[in-house]
Structures are given as structure tokens and as C-alpha cells.
Amino acid sequence: MDRPAKRAKFEAAWERVRDELIAHVVSKSMPPDAVEWYRNNLDYNVPGGKLNRGIAVVDTAEILKGAALDDDEYHKAAILGWGVELLQAFFLVSDDIMDSTTTRRGQPSWHHAQGIGMIALNDAIMLESTIYYLLKKHFRDTPYYVDLLELFHDTTFQTEMGQLIDLITAPEDHVDLSKFSLDRYRLIVTFKTAYYSFYLPVALAMLMSGVPTSYTLDGRTIEPYKVARSILLPLGEYFQIQDDFLDFSAPPEVLGKVGTDVINNKCSWCVNTALVLATPSQRAVLDDNYGRKDAAAEARVKEVFEAVGVREQYAKYEADVHRRLVEKIAVIPEGAERGTLKREIFTTFLEKIYQRTM
């Protein structure tokens, strides 16, 4: 099935999930205006993105099964996938409030939409709480129900820790590059992005597919969730570094948007790499111009990026991380048994990301 067809099928599953959620709040005697508000919250914030995280749950479940999912299996995987998308929506609505972001996905941020305002805080909490209603309804009788709960709770907390580090390191209204470092950047990226964007979808599919915490294959003891983390967290870091580099280097007509990391004081890989390589005079330019809402200041920062060789550093990094990930994936022993890891899970992710341009 090609990507548009996969997306269409996954979106059709959302309609079923959304209608189920609406029926639930109606059953709780919520008044019609509150039901309509909740419906708008769901439709505005959940299904409009790329849906890569949610669809990854379905894709991973199919790879682990080694065949197409039947209708019941697909519905369960899609519910978990939409759980990831609900978590993403919760993060984005909250993040847009914290960052005073005015637009999201080509439309006003939820708290800037007509008549919403700070009710968006409660709406964000409702988006997160919705996940646990779906898990209780559809998975409470499964042996992995508690594992699902813990995985969502742990991932949410990890992401929130990453957000905290990011916010106190690089507040938009106060630039202090002395707080920046590549070590802190990697910590932010691992907690804020890699866990929920890469590990969570795969781990959910593994739980649903009956992958145990350990098994023996060809005389080796495999701990599949640890193996998955060891690949997916570096993969998530690579994805974010790539995103940061494209924000600096890709023209808007290719990227699909105008890069804003420099003017918004983002603790990005590019500036952290430049800080390591800069001469004292170049560092002074960065200190004086980074995070300013000024096109000329932004241009001066990017001139430093070019001068210190950020493009060359990225090319070296990308080649190295690709080699290391390929090596990690290659040592996963594969068997025909259901419930064991498959290299294809990770090669599929890597192929989608490697040398992307947008």
C-alpha cells in the first residue's frame, strides 16, 4: 500500500475513534455546546499533521506480523497510533501557548483561534486524558494494558523534562549563549523528541504484537526494547539535527517554510556546532546577533555558520551516524518466530530520514 493510501485508511480510523469519543462525552451528560467544543478541539488539533508517528505504529505492527493486519488488528494498531497523535496534539497546543506561537500547520494556533484563548490549556489536558480513555476501553483486558499505560506516562514525562530543559536554556526573550552546549542540546533532543517520536510508536506496536522483554535466539539472549531504544534514540537525534540543519540551509521553496531558528533563539545543532568552532571574534558576532528579530542580524549569524563550516560538519555527522545506525541494525539476529525484532522496522525509519531535503 502506498503512502497516500495508508494515510487515507489511517484517517478513516480517526473518524471512528473521534465519533466514539464524542459518544462517550455525550453519555456523561455533557451539554451540547461543550460536546461541540470538544469535537472542534479534536478535529482542529489532532488529524492535520503528517501523521508519521501514528502510521509508524501500524507499519511496525505489520512488519512484526510479517503480513497485512486483519481488521481487528488494524483497528487496535490505529487506536494506539491515534493515541500517539493525541499526545502530539497535547504537546503542540501546550507548546504554542508557552512559546506564544501564533500559527500552526498553516492556521492559527489553537489558543489564537476565534473565541478560544486560554481555554486551550484545558483543551490540551483533555487531549492527553483522551488517550487513557481509549486505552481503558480497548486494551484493559489485554495482558499488556499496564505496559501501555506506563509507556505513555513515561514518554509524556520524558518529553516534558526535555521541554523544561529547552525552555530554561533558550527562552525566546533572553539570549544567553553561555547556556548552550552540544551536550545540553543532545539531552533536550533525546527527551523532547526522540522518545515520543521514534521509540514510542515502535514500542507500542511491539507490545501489541506480543514482543516479550527478552527472548533467546540462536543461543543469544535478546532484550528487544533495549535494542530498539539503542537504535531509535540516536535515530531521533539524527532526525532533529537534520531538521535544524535544514532550517539553516534549505531554501524556503524546498523546505516548505522559512527557517526561524536563529531569530527565535533556538538551541539548535547549528549554533551549538558554531560555538565550538568559532574564533573569539566570530563568537562575539553570535553573541551580538543571535535571537534578534532582525534580518540583518540573522544574516550575520548565518555568515558565521558558513565561515566555521557548519555544512561540512553536518555532512561528516550524517555520514557517521548513518554508518553507526546501519551497523547497529545489522547485528540484530532475525528469526521467523513471531514476537521477535525485525531489522526492517529500523531500516524503514532510516531510509525515510537519510539525506531528506524537507
Side-chain angles (χ1 to χ4, degrees), residues 36-37 40-41 44 102 107-120 123:
E36 186 63 21
W37 188 288
N40 291 337
N41 178 19
Y44 196 96
T102 58
Q107 59 186 355
S109 301
W110 180 238
H111 68 291
H112 275 280
Q114 182 68 35
I116 303 301
M118 286 300 104
I119 298 176
D123 293 336

Side-chain angles (χ1 to χ4, degrees), residues 268-333:
S268 82
W269 179 84
C270 296
V271 69
N272 279 294
T273 299
L275 289 170
V276 172
L277 301 170
T279 65
S281 61
Q282 289 169 329
R283 171 59 187 259
V285 172
L286 295 176
D287 284 329
D288 291 342
N289 293 279
Y290 199 76
R292 289 176 52 187
K293 311 293 188 187
D294 180 308
E298 180 185 23
R300 286 190 285 271
V301 169
K302 290 186 174 182
E303 285 174 4
V304 173
F305 288 178
E306 298 285 9
V308 301
V310 165
R311 291 179 188 271
E312 292 77 12
Q313 291 295 316
Y314 177 76
K316 291 177 183 177
Y317 164 78
E318 184 168 52
D320 181 60
V321 73
H322 183 262
R323 175 187 56 77
R324 287 187 284 111
L325 287 169
V326 167
E327 290 173 354
K328 280 178 174 286
I329 295 167
V331 299
I332 298 173

Side-chain angles (χ1 to χ4, degrees), residues 86-352:
L86 281 159
L87 187 64
Q88 161 83 339
F90 161 59
F91 290 147
L92 294 183
V93 172
S94 304
D95 192 58
D96 286 347
I97 295 170
M98 286 182 274
D99 289 349
S100 301
T101 303
T102 58
T103 60
R104 169 72 63 181
R105 296 171 176 169
Q107 59 186 355
S109 301
W110 180 238
H111 68 291
H112 275 280
Q114 182 68 35
I116 303 301
M118 286 300 104
I119 298 176
L121 286 169
N122 190 66
D123 293 336
I125 296 167
M126 290 188 73
L127 290 170
E128 184 198 16
S129 299
T130 293
I131 298 166
Y132 298 100
Y133 166 74
L134 291 171
L135 294 180
K136 182 177 180 180
K137 179 172 182 181
H138 293 279
F139 297 94
R140 189 176 187 182
D141 294 332
T142 67
Y144 53 90
Y145 174 58
V146 172
D147 295 315
L148 292 176
L149 293 176
E150 290 185 347
L151 181 57
F152 268 107
H153 281 305
D154 290 347
T155 303
T156 301
F157 191 33
Q158 286 158 340
T159 308
E160 291 162 348
M161 286 191 286
Q163 173 75 341
L164 172 62
I165 303 168
D166 192 16
L167 289 171
I168 64 176
T169 300
E172 190 174 343
D173 60 350
H174 179 70
V175 181
D176 182 0
L177 297 186
S178 68
K179 291 184 175 181
F180 287 23
S181 71
L182 282 170
D183 285 342
R184 177 160 280 220
Y185 170 81
R186 292 188 180 100
L187 192 64
I188 292 169
V189 167
T190 298
F191 281 92
K192 186 177 177 179
T193 301
Y195 273 107
Y196 95 92
S197 296
F198 287 82
Y199 178 67
L200 175 62
V202 171
L204 288 171
M206 289 168 65
L207 289 170
M208 179 192 141
S209 303
V211 177
T213 54
S214 67
Y215 57 85
T216 301
L217 188 63
D218 298 333
R220 292 175 54 186
T221 298
I222 310 298
E223 295 180 283
Y225 295 88
K226 289 184 179 179
V227 172
R229 275 196 302 274
S230 75
I231 297 170
L232 293 167
L233 295 186
L235 193 63
E237 180 183 311
Y238 169 36
F239 176 84
Q240 187 60 56
I241 289 174
Q242 188 179 59
D243 212 48
D244 292 353
F245 178 71
L246 291 173
D247 184 274
F248 152 61
S249 64
E253 60 271 18
V254 173
L255 187 60
K257 62 180 180 178
V258 176
T260 58
D261 284 358
V262 172
I263 63 172
N264 288 336
N265 190 36
K266 294 297 183 181
C267 183
S268 82
W269 179 84
C270 296
V271 69
N272 279 294
T273 299
L275 289 170
V276 172
L277 301 170
T279 65
S281 61
Q282 289 169 329
R283 171 59 187 259
V285 172
L286 295 176
D287 284 329
D288 291 342
N289 293 279
Y290 199 76
R292 289 176 52 187
K293 311 293 188 187
D294 180 308
E298 180 185 23
R300 286 190 285 271
V301 169
K302 290 186 174 182
E303 285 174 4
V304 173
F305 288 178
E306 298 285 9
V308 301
V310 165
R311 291 179 188 271
E312 292 77 12
Q313 291 295 316
Y314 177 76
K316 291 177 183 177
Y317 164 78
E318 184 168 52
D320 181 60
V321 73
H322 183 262
R323 175 187 56 77
R324 287 187 284 111
L325 287 169
V326 167
E327 290 173 354
K328 280 178 174 286
I329 295 167
V331 299
I332 298 173
E334 289 201 279
E337 298 88 345
R338 189 168 182 178
T340 60
L341 278 185
K342 301 288 190 294
R343 294 174 194 164
E344 186 184 350
I345 297 169
F346 309 104
T347 56
T348 298
F349 268 104
L350 186 56
E351 287 167 2
K352 289 177 182 176

